[in-house]
Amino acid sequence: MNVHDSDRIRRMIQDAGYAEVQRYEDADLVILNTCYVRENAVDRVRGHLGELNRLRREGRVKRVALTGCIGAAEESAALRQTYDIDLVLGTHNTYELAEFVGLPTMRETYTPELPGTEGGHSAFVTIMTGCNYQCSYCIVPTVRGRMICRPMDSVIGEVENLVAGGTGYITLLGQTVDAWRHEGKRFCDLLEAVSESAPRVWFTTSHPSNMEDRTLRAIGERDSIVKRLHLPVQSGSDRMLKVMHRGYKAERYRRKIEIFREAVPDGTLSTDIIVGHPGETEEDHEQTLRLVEDCAFDSAYIFKFSPRQGTEAASLPGTVPDSIVQRRFLEVLRQIEQNAFSRNQHKVGGEEEIYIRHGRTEDGKAIGETWSGHAVHVKTDAAPGEYVRATIESAGPHVLYAGEVDTSV
Ligand code: SAM
Ligand code: SF4
């Protein structure tokens, strides 16, 4: 979501006549578009602000703006003062940046209707903003507000424009995309409609309570949908899920995964897990490990609990000591990597159609994605957005390695 917001900011300031540079020293204006989900994101921003302050005193950088979720948090007032920031904007008033860079004010620019990046081979399309859940640990509802769903026509219109302009890969975006609903339509209706128009579609992030079985089946049935599901579980313990206000039990999550595995046998499944939420006991942690084993995730983002001021969890008793959090983190990580490694081994020897994404590895290989949603490193000169076919020669826990590209197809 931040990458998408940064794209829009980039286009806006380019419209104002700015060109992008790679080093702070070369910039007249620096915009830090920020995340507030965990404290380490804020620490990093403080580091950047300190450096920018110095460069500005030396006359090398002229102006600094802070946007995104930190800008929407109360803490931004103190940061503004400490680092003498010129402009602080939250998530709902980014359009004010237009005036700051000398463009006419465009209030409508930063509504959910603003199109994503056009002309690129892949694009994000926001279908909803905000979130109606109140997970104990999460600052998102505070900084992004309540859920607003974008009308179906508007989404489809944008997708059609993007595809007509050459975009081949659409990612539908939202904090809880599967909660999308509008005028009697639900997320699966939207996904199916988008999959009719776009050659390749993915969506993130989903919430287990909103995930319908028919959506899981649609992933398996529709050729243009990437067979990859990101479904954050957070914990395997019913007790913790309740404390977190997640709204489902581990058993219901397991059932969803069974349906997914049955409907999409070759698909990949990833999740988010928080370790060390206040009150998490050894038994809760054991249950998370058990769920991780049962679901055999292909990958996971594992987070150490980070207290966010203003959330319920920040003032809950039962802080888990750092050393225990670290051990639990490593235990979950080890379990995930073991599962992922053995699942990836099954892909070795198979031929895959690979979509080439942006970026290259250090040894010059292209980074691609299979239809099953696996990341692949492949030796090819094909440009981002193109497809190649190659056989998978080996696999690690995070990535598959393809051999020579098959040029006969
Ligand atoms: N909306 C998505 C959902 O409900 O799963 C996730 C959005 S959140 C930006 C991404 C992930 O960050 C969450 O799934 C959670 O695992 C993690 N997260 C959020 N708040 C956190 C906190 N205070 N400490 C540690 N991890 C956190
Ligand atoms: Fe945060 Fe996701 Fe929970 Fe919403 S559903 S409060 S974004 S973790």
Side-chain angles (χ1 to χ4, degrees), residues 1-58:
M1 197 156 283
N2 273 32
V3 170
H4 184 39
D5 288 346
S6 298
D7 268 350
R8 303 199 283 187
I9 290 173
R10 182 180 294 113
R11 275 190 295 138
M12 183 193 281
I13 60 172
Q14 282 170 349
D15 280 354
Y18 284 81
E20 200 176 345
V21 291
Q22 297 304 318
R23 303 182 320 160
Y24 285 157
E25 287 88 329
D26 302 329
D28 292 320
L29 165 68
V30 175
I31 301 170
L32 292 178
N33 187 35
T34 60
C35 173
Y36 197 54
V37 171
R38 285 168 294 277
E39 190 58 26
N40 56 4
V42 186
D43 288 342
R44 281 212 304 273
V45 168
R46 278 201 198 93
H48 285 276
L49 285 170
E51 188 190 345
L52 286 167
N53 219 359
R54 179 180 59 79
L55 289 169
R56 213 171 34 176
R57 278 200 308 273
E58 292 169 6

Side-chain angles (χ1 to χ4, degrees), residues 134-211:
Q134 286 288 333
C135 299
S136 58
Y137 50 83
C138 187
I139 197 70
V140 169
T142 313
V143 289
R144 293 256 173 190
R146 287 186 65 79
M147 172 167 85
I148 301 172
C149 294
R150 186 175 166 188
M152 185 145 168
D153 291 351
S154 157
V155 174
I156 301 297
E158 183 182 344
V159 169
E160 284 172 352
N161 277 343
L162 286 163
V163 172
T167 299
Y169 192 171
I170 301 286
T171 300
L172 303 179
L173 271 192
Q175 287 297 344
T176 54
V177 267
D178 51 343
W180 181 94
R181 59 188 118 86
H182 198 259
E183 292 177 351
K185 301 278 188 204
R186 301 170 82 88
F187 175 67
C188 191
D189 303 311
L190 180 68
L191 178 65
E192 285 180 349
V194 171
S195 75
E196 303 272 316
S197 307
R200 191 179 183 95
V201 188
W202 187 55
F203 56 92
T204 193
T205 292
S206 304
H207 191 289
S209 296
N210 297 106
M211 180 49 68

Side-chain angles (χ1 to χ4, degrees), residues 6-7 52 63 68 127 148 194 237 241 260 269 281 296 303 318 322 340 389 401:
S6 298
D7 268 350
L52 286 167
R63 292 191 298 174
I127 64 165
I148 301 172
V194 171
S237 148
L241 289 170
F260 173 70
L269 173 69
T281 64
F303 303 109
D322 287 349
R389 289 194 78 87
Y401 301 96

